[in-house]
Amino acid sequence: MRNDQKLTQKQLAHLLKVDQTTLSGWERGYREPVFENIEKIASICHYKITFINELTKEAVDTKNIFRKE
């Protein structure tokens, strides 16, 4: 999403008020952002978060974020 908006890690990290190393960790899969930051990233990059309305025992995969139409 960041690359689609032509943002550098430094720029997006500044907008999110997090360290660039934190953002890098999210992108590399070493860490996962809290949902509040996922919402902020989606908003900044013009994506919307879509949930399937069903109960499941499986973990929710936060990597399934879809671009706004």
Side-chain angles (χ1 to χ4, degrees), residues 1-62:
M1 290 185 292
R2 175 179 64 78
N3 290 329
D4 287 347
Q5 297 304 308
K6 298 183 176 34
L7 292 171
T8 65
Q9 281 187 347
K10 185 175 182 176
Q11 291 169 324
L12 183 56
H14 176 75
L15 292 170
L16 296 169
K17 298 178 181 158
V18 299
D19 289 335
Q20 182 179 348
T21 55
T22 300
L23 180 60
S24 176
W26 296 343
E27 289 186 359
R28 294 173 179 256
Y30 297 134
R31 299 178 179 195
E32 287 197 28
V34 296
F35 189 74
E36 178 182 333
N37 284 325
I38 294 171
E39 288 179 310
K40 287 179 185 178
I41 294 167
S43 177
I44 290 166
C45 295
H46 308 289
Y47 281 69
K48 70 178 181 177
I49 300 172
T50 304
F51 292 98
I52 297 171
N53 190 17
E54 64 181 60
L55 297 175
T56 180
K57 290 184 180 182
E58 296 176 24
V60 174
D61 182 2
T62 56

